[in-house]
């Protein structure tokens, strides 16, 4: 849902669609309106209760010619800034910066790489021991997923788990981790080791009715 407003130098709205996110296109840095002024002046309300309370809002701003010489480029860059504004929390705003495109390309590259990693078996599970402090004995292990990228080497979870969550790929990845952890636990049990294996589940997995299957 996006407020999409194209502004002239006098800030007159050309196109407006009432939602909780705002994209602003301005002709020049000196004519760029205050993001907070825009956010808090929008006539948003609850159509059901006629409440005047405003929902949270994310604002992105792109300016021509620095951020794009044509409308489509300008709008694409404003949408990129909107994504960053939303990622930073609602009731905030972001001006477009070229570095955002670099991050977007890296994000898409990692996302497509995650799909291939599932198909090619590039994920592995490492087990962090859990030790009883009184006896000093290992009583279990925590399963931790790692991505062994063929070109980038071992990628830490912090670099790909958020993207997997955002794309929904965390569900098949999580299912694989759970199966692999159960296989390893069964192997340890067959070897006479009584160990508990802890597996981290995402919120998306917990919401699935077939989780226990």
């Amino acid at each position: 849902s996006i407020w999409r407003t194209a502004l002239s130098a006098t800030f007159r709205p050309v196109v407006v669609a009432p939602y909780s996110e705002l994209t602003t296109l301005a002709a020049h840095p000196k004519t760029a309106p205050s993001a907070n002024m825009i956010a808090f002046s929008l006539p948003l309300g609850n159509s059901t209760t006629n409440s005047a309370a405003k929902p949270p809002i994310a604002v992105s701003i792109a300016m021509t010619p620095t951020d794009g010489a044509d409308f489509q480029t300008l709008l694409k860059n404003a949408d990129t800034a909107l994504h960053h504004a939303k990622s930073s929390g609602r009731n905030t705003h972001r001006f477009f910066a070229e570095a955002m495109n670099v991050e977007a390309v890296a994000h898409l590259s990692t996302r497509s790489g995650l799909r291939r990693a599932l198909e090619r078996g590039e994920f592995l599970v490492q087990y962090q021991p859990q030790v009883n402090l009184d006896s000093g004995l290992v009583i279990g292990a925590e399963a931790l997923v790692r991505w062994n990228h063929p070109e980038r080497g071992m990628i830490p979870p912090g670099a790909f788990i958020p993207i997997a969550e955002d794309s929904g790929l965390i569900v098949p990845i999580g299912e694989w981790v759970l199966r692999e952890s159960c296989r390893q636990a069964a192997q340890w049990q067959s070897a006479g080791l009584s160990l508990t294996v802890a597996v981290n589940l995402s919120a998306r997995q917990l919401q699935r009715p077939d989780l226990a299957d």
Side-chain angles (χ1 to χ4, degrees):
S1 57
I2 299 174
W3 267 89
R4 200 176 297 279
T5 305
L7 298 179
S8 67
T10 56
F11 316 131
R12 293 181 180 176
V14 178
V15 181
V16 179
Y19 295 98
S20 60
E21 294 155 12
L22 171 67
T23 296
T24 301
L25 311 180
H28 189 276
K30 292 183 179 179
T31 66
S34 164
N36 288 332
M37 178 188 71
I38 294 172
F40 289 101
S41 64
L42 295 175
L44 300 179
N46 189 313
S47 59
T48 303
T49 63
N50 293 322
S51 170
K54 292 181 174 65
I57 185 168
V59 180
S60 67
I61 301 171
M63 294 175 290
T64 187
T66 55
D67 299 334
D70 60 87
F71 180 79
Q72 291 301 324
T73 301
L74 199 61
L75 191 59
K76 176 179 71 70
N77 290 339
D79 281 343
T80 299
L82 182 61
H83 174 76
H84 280 258
K86 290 166 62 180
S87 299
S88 301
R90 295 302 179 93
N91 293 326
T92 187
H93 67 277
R94 288 291 181 272
F95 285 84
F96 173 76
E98 189 58 42
M100 293 178 178
N101 275 336
V102 176
E103 292 178 18
V105 170
H107 184 283
L108 289 175
S109 176
T110 300
R111 182 169 176 168
S112 60
L114 285 172
R115 293 185 184 278
R116 292 193 298 269
L118 273 171
E119 299 169 357
R120 300 174 180 176
E122 295 173 4
F123 291 111
L124 57 91
V125 177
Q126 295 180 340
Y127 298 91
Q128 180 171 290
Q130 295 176 332
V131 180
N132 185 309
L133 295 180
D134 293 328
S135 65
L137 298 176
V138 176
I139 59 173
E142 180 183 5
L144 303 172
V145 64
R146 298 290 185 266
W147 180 9
N148 189 13
H149 194 281
E151 297 175 356
R152 297 164 58 187
M154 200 68 70
I155 301 177
F160 68 88
I161 291 296
I163 297 175
E165 289 272 8
D166 183 57
S167 65
L169 289 170
I170 193 63
V171 173
I173 293 173
E175 290 175 349
W176 178 84
V177 172
L178 189 57
R179 288 195 303 269
E180 178 63 18
S181 300
C182 289
R183 184 198 64 78
Q184 181 61 70
Q187 186 175 3
W188 282 334
Q189 188 175 37
S190 298
L193 300 175
S194 180
L195 299 175
T196 300
V197 178
V199 180
N200 297 309
L201 299 179
S202 71
R204 285 177 180 263
Q205 286 178 277
L206 294 173
Q207 294 169 357
R208 293 175 64 90
D210 60 346
L211 176 62
D213 298 340

